[in-house]
Structures are given as C-alpha cells and as structure tokens.
Amino acid sequence: GFSDPPALEISEQGIEASFSLGLPNIAVGVFSLSNLSLGASLTVPFLGQQPLSVRFNFCERSDPFRLTVWIFGGGGFFAVTVTPAGVQILEAAFEFGAAASLDFGVASGSVSVMAGIYFRIEMDEASLTGYFNLKGRVSVLGLITASLELSLELTYEFSSGKCVGRASLIIEVEVLFFSASVEISCEKRFAGSNGDPSFAQIMAPYDDPITGKPVDPWAEYCSAFAA
C-alpha cells in the first residue's frame, strides 16, 4: 500500500529512512478531496553537531492535497521535524482559489487564481507569508500562445519585526517556432527596526582592516559638506 516504498539512504552525512503512504480520494457530487498522503522519515547523522531528527508530514508543500467544490478549490500541507531538543521545524500552508477554462474551437484559454498563507517556525525564528498567484493562458489555432503568471507575497518576520514584499511577473509568447519570455521581479522591506544598527553604531570609530589606521565615519561625513 505504500506509494513510496520504505527507503534507506546512506551518505557521508548520515542515514535517512523514509516512507510515504497515499490515501484514497474522496468524491461526493461536486465535492472532491484528492492527492492525500502521509509520510515520515528518520535521520541519524554521523556528525555530532547535528541531532537525530524525525519528520512527519501530511502531504508536501510541492505536492499539497486538493479540495475542490465546482470551480472553486484549495489545498495545503503540514509538516513537523522533531529532535531530542524539541520541535526543530514546523510549517503549514493553506490556499484557496478558483480555476476555469474556455474553448471556442479556434481559440482556447484558461485562468486560475489562488491565494493562501504559509507559516513556518524554525528554531527561534518564525515567519508568516500571505501570497497570491494568478495564471492565465490563451491559444489561437495552436499557432499563437501567450501565458501570464503573476505572483505576489508578503512575509512578516517575527525576529526582525519587518514585512518583506515580493512580486514577480512572467510573460511568455510563442508564435510557431519562435518563443520569448520576459520576467520582472522586485522586493521591498518595510516596517520594524529590530536587528537594524543604530545611528551611533553606524558612526562609531573603527580601525581600517587594510591600513590598520583609525577611521572616524562621523568626521568623514561632516567633512564631505565642509567644502
């Protein structure tokens, strides 16, 4: 009954034994629950600084379960890694959206919209991410194809108190044997001040690592405006 038979992998870093078990799909009318799986792994390291760890998961981030009701759907996963010292990594994600496709003979297209949250705790650090994905594709007679993928995410870092926003846009066009793609991405950090050096720390005197001579950043800053 194992979709991934129990496996044993031995390397220079240690031994890892793992397995996964696929669960049957559930479908009742317009409701369906699919792609369910359970997994576990045990890692025994050969290096003393790395602890023994056990991981349990319900589906995977790259292969989440799927819950659909008509054109609406969602999914998610949950995983936790435990060591003798406690929980090392805990992560979970849940998403919801809709998908639709149209076919007019000479032209066809599809679009999907998905939004969700991803939570992760690793040792003493934690983050919470909200994301939005939009994918669209249109094809005319199979000769001209255009696709668009928009991804937005906003991550809150508990350790620094900062929010990190990321956005990417990918556009692909195919005409017969010619194809081209353009990708645009950006990232911005805002809010919070934990972990940032203070003004006094930035302007504190220090010794030049090359010459060994003392350097006074505040004096250099002031002299730049003296002229």
Side-chain angles (χ1 to χ4, degrees), residues 33 50 55 61 94 108 122 138 159 163 167 183 194 205 209:
L33 184 60
Q50 298 180 357
R55 182 177 188 271
R61 187 179 185 185
F94 299 96
S108 61
E122 184 172 2
V138 62
S159 58
C163 285
E183 181 176 356
N194 294 340

Side-chain angles (χ1 to χ4, degrees), residues 32 141 184:
S32 67
L141 296 174
I184 303 172

Side-chain angles (χ1 to χ4, degrees), residues 156-162 189 191-198:
Y156 178 75
E157 299 175 345
F158 290 87
S159 58
S160 64
K162 293 183 179 294
R189 288 176 172 265
S193 60
N194 294 340
D196 291 344
S198 63

Side-chain angles (χ1 to χ4, degrees), residues 100-176:
S101 61
L102 297 172
D103 190 345
F104 298 102
V106 295
S108 61
S110 62
V111 61
S112 65
V113 179
M114 195 69 67
I117 59 172
Y118 171 68
F119 179 70
R120 179 183 178 93
I121 297 178
E122 184 172 2
M123 303 301 288
D124 296 330
E125 297 186 359
S127 64
L128 178 64
T129 302
Y131 59 89
F132 172 85
N133 293 325
L134 171 65
K135 296 181 180 180
R137 182 180 178 87
V138 62
S139 177
V140 179
L141 296 174
L143 303 177
I144 303 175
T145 303
S147 62
L148 177 146
E149 182 176 348
L150 173 65
S151 298
L152 304 172
E153 67 175 49
L154 181 64
T155 302
Y156 178 75
E157 299 175 345
F158 290 87
S159 58
S160 64
K162 293 183 179 294
C163 285
V164 182
R166 301 181 181 88
S168 66
L169 175 64
I170 302 175
I171 301 175
E172 297 182 357
V173 177
E174 298 180 8
V175 180
L176 295 178

